[in-house]
Amino acid sequence: MTTSSMKRAAVAALAAALSVAALSTARADITDYEFRLVQTDIKQGNGAIVAVRLVDKRSGKAVPDAVIFATRIDMAPDGMETMVAPIEALPSTEPGVYRFKANLMMAGGWRLSLGAKIQGETGTIENKLVLKATP
Ligand SMILES: [Cu+2]
């Protein structure tokens, strides 16, 4: 090895060590997560199924085992914030996908508000998602 190639190797090794350190100290933040609708258009009616995926935005991976403590679905997108539909959680059929059954009694825009806690993270995630109930 020449002196300059040894220098280059040392720099590369240092850079690698630094990036490993950066990775291991990078703390996840609650804002790194978000809920996304699996489908934005959902057939209106009683028993409509609304599915959301909880995603780690850094990796794009689905995040299982979140505790959803708040759910509300209303027609705020169509100016009917007081029109609230009954909604209940259903068992998950796929890790990281959370399902709900709602009575979307009217076609149009609906807003799903979710509050959740994620295993190992402090704080809570609160998302509002807009979907469309189709006739
Ligand atoms: Cu309405």
Side-chain angles (χ1 to χ4, degrees), residues 75 80 83 106:
M75 285 198 80
M80 288 174 272
M83 190 168 179
M106 187 172 165

Side-chain angles (χ1 to χ4, degrees), residues 19-78:
S19 67
V20 168
L23 276 178
S24 59
T25 56
R27 293 276 318 277
D29 190 88
I30 199 77
T31 56
D32 290 327
Y33 301 91
E34 73 180 10
F35 285 105
R36 291 176 189 165
L37 287 162
V38 172
Q39 249 189 307
T40 54
D41 285 20
I42 294 161
K43 182 124 180 69
Q44 117 178 68
N46 196 1
I49 304 292
V50 181
V52 295
R53 180 176 282 110
L54 179 58
V55 177
D56 182 336
K57 291 187 272 181
R58 297 163 303 168
S59 63
K61 285 196 179 125
V63 181
D65 304 322
V67 178
I68 297 177
F69 61 83
T71 39
R72 175 188 160 103
I73 193 163
D74 60 52
M75 285 198 80
D78 278 8

